[in-house]
Amino acid sequence: MRSLVLCLLTVVAFGSCLKLPSSFKKCDRKRTDFNQCLSDAIYGALKILDKPLPSHGLPSLYDIEFPDEVATIGNRTYGLLQTYYRPRCIGLSKPENINAKLEFGPLTSTLTIEATYSQLTVETGFEAQGTIVLLPVNVVTPFEYTLVNPTYTFTFELEEYEKGTTYFRVIDSKLDMQAHGLKLDYKQLFSNKILNDEFNSAMNVKWREIFALSKSIDEDVFAPLFGTIVNGFLKRVPVADLFDG
């Protein structure tokens, strides 16, 4: 009864009394195999997140939409103004492998998660105004690209703070994306289906160049968004409930 009262008082005072779900693996930071345990724990957690876990601030990572996000490339005066909006990432809860490490420091700690996949798909809305080789373009169409055998490496810088007990929060996040292939599909860029298909085929032949151009834009867009997701979880679960030791 005393622990229940204490928990209720903590909820009132600090807004949180959550522990890890029983399905989440807990690791001992003092063990030499801590990072391997952490890798297994994150792998298992991602598998669970086919469905959202709202009590812990976690959305489904199988199909996650960022409705407020917009990226703009180019301009209509000298070529083509392109706007990509409302991206949806599909497949993040289905990693083939996870390698994670957490380096604890006196001021900040660094969490690195390297996740490999067979494929990941991003769907967005797409608008374009301008010209392609003198052909006028003014179009709104769905757009989809699929990364083949990608590796996403997330880096989160964490700091501890006190709110009745010790918590982590993300103060910086980075993302590095690598892939062995890229398939692009502008669904209705041109009304002529043959022309549309030929355009997509020509773009896919040049996937390496396109990936090199778009990589930094995607990384800059998605890194802070995933930092926000991780923060939503960390502010609900004390460090002592994340790790032993």
Side-chain angles (χ1 to χ4, degrees):
M1 178 62 73
R2 289 182 62 191
S3 62
L4 175 60
V5 172
L6 179 60
C7 180
L8 291 173
L9 288 173
T10 304
V11 169
V12 172
F14 304 111
S16 175
C17 192
L18 289 176
K19 292 182 178 293
L20 284 172
S22 59
S23 53
F24 279 43
K25 187 175 183 179
K26 190 176 181 183
C27 301
D28 188 337
R29 68 170 81 186
K30 293 182 179 179
R31 290 180 59 94
T32 58
D33 63 350
F34 169 75
N35 284 329
Q36 181 58 56
C37 177
L38 181 65
S39 300
D40 295 341
I42 292 174
Y43 179 86
L46 287 174
K47 293 289 188 180
I48 293 166
L49 289 173
D50 264 3
K51 299 183 183 297
L53 191 63
S55 62
H56 288 72
L58 293 171
S60 165
L61 291 184
Y62 176 73
D63 185 350
I64 180 169
E65 183 177 10
F66 302 102
D68 299 325
E69 201 57 43
V70 177
T72 301
I73 305 170
N75 66 78
R76 72 183 72 185
T77 303
Y78 302 107
L80 194 66
L81 174 65
Q82 304 172 64
T83 303
Y84 299 84
Y85 55 91
R86 296 181 68 92
R88 292 172 57 208
C89 297
I90 300 171
L92 282 168
S93 64
K94 302 288 189 182
E96 297 286 313
N97 188 56
I98 293 289
N99 283 315
K101 65 177 179 179
L102 180 53
E103 299 173 309
F104 294 95
L107 298 177
T108 63
S109 300
T110 303
L111 171 63
T112 305
I113 304 170
E114 182 184 276
T116 57
Y117 297 86
S118 59
Q119 69 173 40
L120 286 173
T121 298
V122 176
E123 297 179 356
T124 77
F126 174 75
E127 296 181 8
Q129 297 89 33
T131 57
I132 300 178
V133 194
L134 302 181
L135 181 67
V137 174
N138 189 347
V139 67
V140 177
T141 178
F143 169 61
E144 176 181 299
Y145 67 87
T146 300
L147 294 159
V148 180
N149 295 323
T151 298
Y152 276 26
T153 303
F154 301 90
T155 304
F156 303 104
E157 188 175 358
L158 312 174
E159 72 173 3
E160 295 184 359
Y161 68 99
E162 299 296 321
K163 194 178 70 171
T165 186
T166 304
Y167 290 83
F168 273 136
R169 64 177 156 222
V170 177
I171 58 174
D172 189 35
S173 55
K174 294 182 175 64
L175 170 62
D176 178 73
M177 299 164 53
Q178 302 295 332
H180 291 86
L182 180 65
K183 299 176 182 177
L184 300 102
D185 186 7
Y186 293 88
K187 302 295 185 180
Q188 295 175 326
L189 189 60
F190 304 104
S191 58
N192 184 310
K193 185 178 185 306
I194 294 175
L195 178 58
N196 200 82
D197 291 346
E198 288 295 333
F199 178 83
N200 283 325
S201 294
M203 293 286 281
N204 286 327
V205 169
K206 298 292 186 180
W207 76 266
R208 288 182 177 82
E209 293 89 336
I210 294 168
F211 180 69
L213 288 171
S214 63
K215 178 177 180 293
S216 62
I217 297 172
D218 286 349
E219 290 170 349
D220 289 344
V221 167
F222 288 119
L225 299 177
F226 288 114
T228 299
I229 291 172
V230 173
N231 243 347
F233 171 72
L234 292 177
K235 72 180 182 181
R236 288 168 168 83
V237 182
V239 173
D241 289 338
L242 291 171
F243 311 113
D244 287 324

